[in-house]
């Protein structure tokens, strides 16, 4: 339960924020109190038995109801997205903080703080199919459709700021390599296989992105706790037609946090819908996810001021060189009504642009501008997918495009061409820049060539920059990820080539990976020894400080101190922490005073990997019962192994934590005073004041997300 006072109102009116919701209301169909009819609106008397000649005879063709019902069912599926098939979406709104960006763009949805623009955002994994698990090692999609007053604008980004390839013509090759191998169709939603690493080893341009993929960024704790990036350099255009290069960044207000790999793998079995459920539940509980939009701006005069090409999507602009300036905030405040109608049918397109934003010649972006429209034609069955409720702009659509499968507009009048006189010359073409989209007038000249620019050739410097910028713990995770992934590669030649490429990024990285593979790294000088780092790239340098919406398990059994657990829950809920009471069986446990304490779930229906922290309450009988329950002991040990805060509150809990292998700093036994060490907090005190002090300290640990410095290699879970 969240603290009700901190819940913002859903869909509170603001300029335009409710416009999409109002539009959708006209398309919502509710069955409450309705009669069952055919698609023709004819009421049906019976739907459980087919019409047949005699009770045991053949089914009759004239049973139009059965035929229609089965036919419709037979056609229910549409092709899944060729990439990003697995996803979850939510409606919301975007609101700028102020108007400072108006100097650079005429896009009022980015510059007018009075305007709340309705949005739909879809998060996704990339490689897996629609039914694959959420917590795989993968890039996450972060695509937002802004239903602006000037038409739809789509920012189709990822949670990593670079991409695997530089030119879209290689996208089919890349996707074929990462998808399940075509003969056996395995592995599902994994990059840990030969074809992916074969591609990587032969295409050094992938290396920078591969560093991100092997990092904790590929294992977000929640869609609510990951960054987003537009990736490409785009262009803002102001009222005088002047362009400025721009990179878009989304920063989650809850901080950027990840899981550990072991945990992510286990969640794939315990709750394959983990991230989807997390998003839905948070929005349903009123804990609306929020992200700040920021921009890095580069004047056109500085186009060549960097040691990389701004048009190269495998490069970042270090934030230390060009700071990210805040623009406004996205709030996701409404779950869709129907997954298929909205989340599945939403159609994003990088070329959905509005006045004030424009493209650059990034060759990856140029290909995307073709691919997204093309893919919707097969996925959604024809050119009228823009009429689908989730895809419709909130502004009027008037043009001379006509007919096609699923045409839902009834165009009135005789003219469907431009210019016309019979339709009074309508729809009228043109208007002031800002109201109309006019392509940016960039001067372009050159010979027709099929050749990569020299400025795109350095594939190692920023891969090394990323490695240099990581903390020790992040480096350890990256090395472990490479060992896991390349360790799954069967072809020895591919392993050798990957190690050779890593050597060119950083010698220490290559050596540590090679060691895990039982090899020695091929000696070669790193291609880049600039020694530079960008501190902003380390997740440990992102924002910490809130424990809101973290989920804490309180394990309990008969004999628990009822007043204590309720007090703990109240104190944590005040901080917007979600608390669940778990016990060996569902229903209720009997407290030390003989009263019933309601249990939220039986512990065997969940697992520690689904929680951010665990608390074991006393007294002695409860602690003893939990000590004797293997599932409960494993729960605590595993949470401890995964660097989560662990708490013991009340008598007997120090012994219980010891039984679970929980160490207190360098000591095996937890002391009974109220002190925290290594993310473990234990006390044998009880009562109201003790609970207040305990939660104060425990919440601070929770806000750290994970106790990364805790050594857990030897923990057997
Ligand atoms: Fe893409 C989907 C993000 C490169 C072709 N892409 C898709 C989605 C996201 C991205 C978030 C899911 C949208 C949704 O939720 O419906 N894609 C990216 C990013 C890229 C990128 C950040 C590099 C910077 N994509 C990329 C290239 C191509 C595509 C180079 C093709 C040349 N992407 C597609 C697609 C998809 C898609 C095939 C599949 C389903 C869809 O578009 O609607 O057209």
């Amino acid at each position: 339960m969240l603290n009700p006072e901190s819940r913002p109102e859903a869909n509170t009116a603001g300029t335009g924020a409710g416009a999409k919701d109002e539009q959708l209301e006209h398309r919502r169909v509710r069955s409450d109190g309705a009669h069952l009819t055919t698609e023709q609106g004819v009421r049906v008397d019976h739907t459980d038995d087919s019409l047949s000649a005699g009770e045991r005879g053949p089914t009759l063709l004239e049973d139009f109801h059965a035929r229609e019902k089965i036919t419709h069912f037979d056609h229910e599926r549409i092709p899944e997205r060729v990439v990003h098939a697995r996803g979850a979406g939510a409606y919301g709104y975007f609101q700028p903080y102020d108007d400072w960006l108006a100097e650079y763009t005429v896009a009022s949805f980015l510059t007018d703080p009075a305007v709340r623009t309705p949005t739909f955002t879809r998060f996704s994994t990339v490689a897996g199919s629609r039914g694959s698990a959420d917590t795989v090692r993968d890039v996450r999609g972060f695509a937002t459709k802004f239903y602006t007053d000037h038409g739809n604008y789509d920012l189709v980004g990822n949670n990593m700021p670079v991409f695997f390839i530089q030119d879209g013509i290689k996208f089919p090759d890349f996707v074929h390599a990462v998808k399940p191998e075509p003969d056996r169709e395995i592995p599902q939603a994994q990059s840990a296989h030969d074809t992916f690493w074969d591609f990587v080893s032969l295409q050094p341009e992938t290396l920078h992105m591969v560093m991100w993929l092997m990092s904790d960024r590929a294992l977000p704790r929640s869609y609510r706790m990951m960054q987003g990036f537009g990736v490409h350099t785009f262009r803002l255009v102001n009222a005088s037609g002047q362009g400025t290069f721009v990179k878009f960044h989304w920063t989650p207000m809850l901080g950027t946090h990840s899981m550990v790999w072991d945990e992510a793998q286990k969640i794939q079995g315990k709750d394959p819908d983990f991230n989807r459920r997390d998003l839905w539940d948070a929005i349903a509980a009123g804990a609306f996810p929020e992200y700040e939009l920021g921009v890095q701006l580069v004047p056109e005069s500085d186009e060549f001021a960097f040691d990389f090409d701004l048009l190269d999507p495998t490069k970042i602009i270090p934030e230390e060189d060009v700071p990210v300036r805040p623009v406004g905030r996205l709030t996701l405040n409404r779950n869709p009504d129907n997954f298929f109608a909205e989340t599945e049918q939403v159609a994003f397109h990088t070329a959905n642009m509005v006045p004030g934003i424009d493209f650059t010649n990034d060759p990856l972006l140029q290909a995307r501008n073709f691919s997204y429209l093309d893919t919707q034609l097969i996925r959604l069955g024809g050119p009228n997918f823009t009429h689908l409720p989730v895809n419709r702009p909130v502004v009027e659509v008037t043009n001379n495009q006509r007919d096609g499968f699923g045409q839902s507009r009834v165009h009135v009048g005789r003219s469907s061409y431009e210019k016309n006189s019979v339709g009074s010359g309508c729809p009228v073409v043109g208007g002031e820049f800002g109201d109309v989209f006019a392509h940016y007038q960039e001067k372009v000249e050159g010979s027709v060539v099929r050749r990569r620019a020299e400025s795109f050739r350095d594939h190692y410097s920023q891969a090394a920059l990323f490695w240099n910028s990581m903390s020790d713990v992040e480096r350890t995770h990256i090395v472990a990820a490479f060992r896991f992934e390349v360790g799954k590669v069967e072809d020895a030649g591919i392993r050798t080539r990957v190690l050779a490429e890593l050597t060119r990024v950083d010698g220490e990285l290559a050596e540590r990976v090679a060691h895990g593979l039982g090899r020695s790294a091929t000696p070669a000088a790193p291609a880049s020894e600039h020694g530079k780092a960008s501190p902003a790239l380390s997740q440990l340098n992102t924002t910490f400080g809130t424990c809101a919406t973290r989920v804490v398990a309180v394990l309990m059994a008969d004999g628990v101190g009822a007043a204590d657990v309720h007090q703990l829950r109240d104190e944590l809920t005040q901080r917007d922490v979600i608390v669940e009471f778990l016990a060996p069986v569902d229903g209720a446990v009997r407290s030390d005073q003989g009263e019933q304490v309601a249990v939220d779930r039986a512990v065997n229906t969940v697992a520690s990997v689904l929680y951010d922290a665990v608390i074991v309450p006393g007294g002695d009988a409860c602690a003893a019962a939990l000590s004797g329950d293997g599932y409960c002991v494993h729960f605590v040990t595993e949470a401890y192994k995964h660097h989560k805060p662990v708490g013991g509150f009340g008598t007997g809990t120090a012994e219980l934590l010891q039984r679970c292998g929980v160490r207190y700093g360098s000591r095996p036994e937890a002391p009974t005073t109220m002190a925290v060490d290594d993310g473990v907090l234990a006390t044998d005190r009880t009562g109201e004041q003790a609970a207040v002090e305990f939660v104060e300290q425990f919440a601070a640990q929770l806000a750290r997300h994970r106790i990364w410095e805790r050594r857990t290699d030897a923990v057997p879970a």
Side-chain angles (χ1 to χ4, degrees):
M1 288 286 288
L2 287 160
N3 175 11
E5 282 173 20
S6 65
R7 288 180 204 168
E9 285 298 307
N11 286 326
T12 41
T15 317
K20 189 65 194 174
D21 196 36
E22 277 163 35
Q23 187 193 53
L24 288 165
E25 182 55 22
H26 297 292
R27 307 301 295 263
R28 290 187 182 120
V29 177
R30 298 184 172 87
S31 316
D32 324 356
H35 294 278
L36 186 73
T37 73
T38 65
E39 282 288 323
Q40 305 304 325
V42 177
R43 274 172 61 177
V44 170
D45 65 336
H46 194 110
T47 193
D48 284 348
D49 298 290
S50 307
L51 194 68
S52 56
E55 282 179 1
R56 301 180 59 254
T59 301
L60 297 178
L61 194 58
E62 74 177 64
D63 187 353
F64 59 85
H65 169 50
R67 279 192 290 119
E68 182 198 79
K69 185 175 173 183
I70 292 170
T71 306
H72 196 279
F73 167 77
D74 291 342
H75 294 256
E76 274 178 10
R77 291 289 166 270
I78 63 170
E80 67 172 33
R81 288 170 175 83
V82 59
V83 283
H84 296 264
R86 169 87 188 164
Y91 290 97
Y93 63 87
F94 176 79
Q95 190 163 19
Y97 295 138
D98 48 43
D99 64 357
W100 73 268
L101 202 61
E103 188 186 333
Y104 301 95
T105 178
V106 293
S108 55
F109 79 100
L110 293 175
T111 59
D112 185 347
V115 174
R116 275 188 177 183
T117 298
T119 58
F120 185 84
T121 297
R122 183 173 178 273
F123 302 106
S124 48
T125 54
V126 180
S129 58
R130 259 192 74 180
S132 57
D134 279 347
T135 60
V136 292
R137 178 176 294 283
D138 200 353
V139 184
R140 299 299 187 281
F142 188 143
T144 299
K145 190 179 285 293
F146 299 77
Y147 304 97
T148 85
D149 294 347
H150 292 91
N152 288 352
Y153 170 63
D154 292 356
L155 183 55
V156 195
N158 281 338
N159 74 328
M160 299 178 191
V162 287
F163 201 63
F164 293 97
I165 48 170
Q166 296 174 318
D167 188 323
I169 194 171
K170 281 162 84 153
F171 191 67
D173 301 300
F174 162 68
V175 174
H176 289 170
V178 71
K179 282 272 185 181
E181 298 189 10
D183 50 356
R184 293 156 284 181
E185 226 211 3
I186 52 177
Q188 179 56 243
Q190 309 280 321
S191 49
H193 60 114
D194 284 41
T195 55
F196 174 74
W197 288 98
D198 192 26
F199 185 84
V200 168
S201 72
L202 297 168
Q203 299 280 2
E205 70 196 67
T206 57
L207 282 174
H208 185 196
M209 181 66 161
V210 165
M211 294 299 294
W212 284 81
L213 185 66
M214 294 302 108
S215 80
D216 296 346
R217 303 282 182 150
L219 311 171
R221 154 66 179 82
S222 161
Y223 290 138
R224 303 177 293 120
M225 300 173 197
M226 64 180 204
Q227 285 181 291
F229 302 91
V231 179
H232 311 282
T233 302
F234 292 93
R235 201 186 306 262
L236 296 179
V237 187
N238 69 12
S240 338
Q242 187 191 1
T244 304
F245 293 118
V246 62
K247 292 257 193 198
F248 292 109
H249 295 240
W250 290 116
T251 306
M253 304 315 286
L254 292 174
T256 306
H257 304 299
S258 296
M259 298 173 172
V260 295
W261 178 222
D262 180 61
E263 179 189 17
Q265 289 178 87
K266 288 173 175 166
I267 295 176
Q268 288 170 33
K270 295 288 182 186
D271 184 3
D273 307 305
F274 184 79
N275 289 140
R276 179 182 285 189
R277 189 189 308 284
D278 167 275
L279 180 68
W280 181 280
D281 286 354
I283 293 173
F288 301 143
E290 291 181 310
Y291 307 81
E292 182 170 273
L293 182 71
V295 289
Q296 285 178 296
L297 298 180
V298 176
E300 290 197 336
S301 52
D302 285 352
E303 180 168 2
F304 302 107
F306 301 89
D307 55 6
F308 55 87
D309 198 318
L310 281 181
L311 303 185
D312 175 354
T314 67
K315 303 296 185 294
I316 57 157
I317 308 177
E319 288 181 34
E320 292 76 14
D321 297 344
V322 179
V324 179
R325 298 173 65 184
V327 173
R329 191 171 291 192
L330 173 70
T331 305
L332 304 183
N333 64 356
R334 194 170 68 74
N335 282 316
D337 289 301
N338 184 283
F339 186 91
F340 180 84
E342 296 166 291
T343 310
E344 190 59 21
Q345 292 198 116
V346 68
F348 292 97
H349 185 13
T350 47
N352 287 350
M353 280 287 174
V354 290
I357 312 178
D358 214 315
F359 313 111
T360 59
N361 297 328
D362 173 340
L364 196 73
L365 176 59
Q366 298 276 320
R368 293 180 76 191
N369 287 342
F370 163 72
S371 185
Y372 287 73
L373 174 57
D374 186 43
T375 205
Q376 313 308 352
L377 296 176
I378 178 82
R379 198 169 72 80
L380 299 169
N384 291 321
F385 65 87
T386 51
H387 302 191
L388 293 167
V390 68
N391 294 326
R392 284 175 61 193
V394 292
V395 289
E396 220 175 299
V397 173
T398 37
N399 56 45
N400 292 319
Q401 278 138 231
R402 292 288 184 272
D403 310 344
F405 284 113
Q407 175 61 250
S408 69
R409 297 191 182 117
V410 182
H411 295 106
V412 175
R414 291 167 63 205
S415 77
S416 53
Y417 53 91
E418 217 291 307
K419 303 176 158 123
N420 69 68
S421 66
V422 295
S424 318
C426 293
V428 179
V429 180
E432 289 292 311
F433 179 62
D435 288 332
V436 301
F437 187 92
H439 286 273
Y440 182 70
Q441 293 192 7
E442 185 185 10
K443 185 161 185 268
V444 179
E445 57 186 342
S447 313
V448 174
V449 290
R450 203 185 269 287
R451 197 168 58 224
R452 194 77 53 93
E454 266 313 306
S455 51
F456 278 51
R457 294 252 175 247
D458 170 17
H459 306 312
Y460 301 97
S461 297
Q462 288 212 349
L465 180 80
F466 186 77
W467 172 254
N468 293 347
S469 311
M470 295 293 107
S471 61
D472 285 348
V473 69
E474 288 169 307
R475 284 185 176 194
T476 304
H477 291 173
I478 291 171
V479 169
F482 272 113
R483 286 179 179 183
F484 178 94
E485 296 262 325
V486 186
K488 293 266 188 188
V489 169
E490 288 163 12
D491 185 313
I494 297 174
R495 287 184 177 208
T496 305
R497 284 203 307 272
V498 172
L499 286 175
E501 286 302 322
L502 292 187
T503 310
R504 306 200 71 200
V505 175
D506 185 274
E508 183 210 334
L509 165 68
E511 229 167 75
R512 289 173 66 182
V513 174
H515 181 66
L517 300 174
R519 299 227 185 166
S520 53
T522 328
S528 154
E529 285 184 303
H530 53 64
K532 282 189 224 151
S534 165
L537 295 177
S538 167
Q539 259 179 270
L540 295 191
N541 294 331
T542 56
T543 314
F544 291 84
T546 176
C547 56
T549 77
R550 299 309 171 88
V551 193
V552 175
V554 176
L555 294 189
M556 54 199 201
D558 287 343
V560 70
D564 288 340
V565 284
H566 286 127
Q567 180 78 30
L568 290 176
R569 168 130 83 182
D570 288 352
E571 291 295 325
L572 285 164
T573 306
Q574 283 301 318
R575 292 166 169 82
D576 283 342
V577 173
I578 299 159
V579 180
E580 290 190 358
F581 287 173
L582 310 180
V585 291
D586 214 339
V589 294
R590 220 176 35 259
S591 80
D592 53 352
Q593 305 297 318
E595 44 191 328
Q596 302 275 303
V597 181
V599 165
D600 294 309
R601 297 173 207 278
V603 70
N604 69 327
T605 63
V606 288
S608 84
V609 290
L610 308 179
Y611 296 85
D612 292 295
V614 58
I615 296 175
V616 286
D620 293 329
C622 169
L626 294 175
S627 281
D629 185 310
Y631 206 99
C632 291
V633 171
H634 179 264
F635 194 108
V636 177
T637 310
E638 195 182 46
Y640 176 71
K641 183 178 178 71
H642 293 150
H643 306 270
K644 296 173 180 175
V646 175
F649 185 79
T651 56
T653 55
E655 294 76 11
L656 171 57
L657 293 182
Q658 200 175 349
R659 158 103 171 86
C660 299
V662 171
R663 294 177 71 89
Y664 188 85
S666 54
R667 282 161 289 159
E669 79 291 354
T672 52
T673 54
M674 180 94 61
V676 65
D677 196 355
D678 212 22
V680 181
L681 175 61
T683 179
D684 60 358
R685 286 172 55 198
T686 54
E688 196 176 324
Q689 184 52 33
V692 170
E693 284 174 36
F694 179 90
V695 169
E696 184 77 40
Q697 297 206 45
F698 197 76
Q701 299 308 305
L702 207 49
R704 293 173 64 193
H705 180 60
R706 295 299 166 86
I707 318 305
W708 290 120
E709 69 276 12
R710 184 190 294 158
R711 304 294 299 270
T712 67
D713 291 349
V715 178

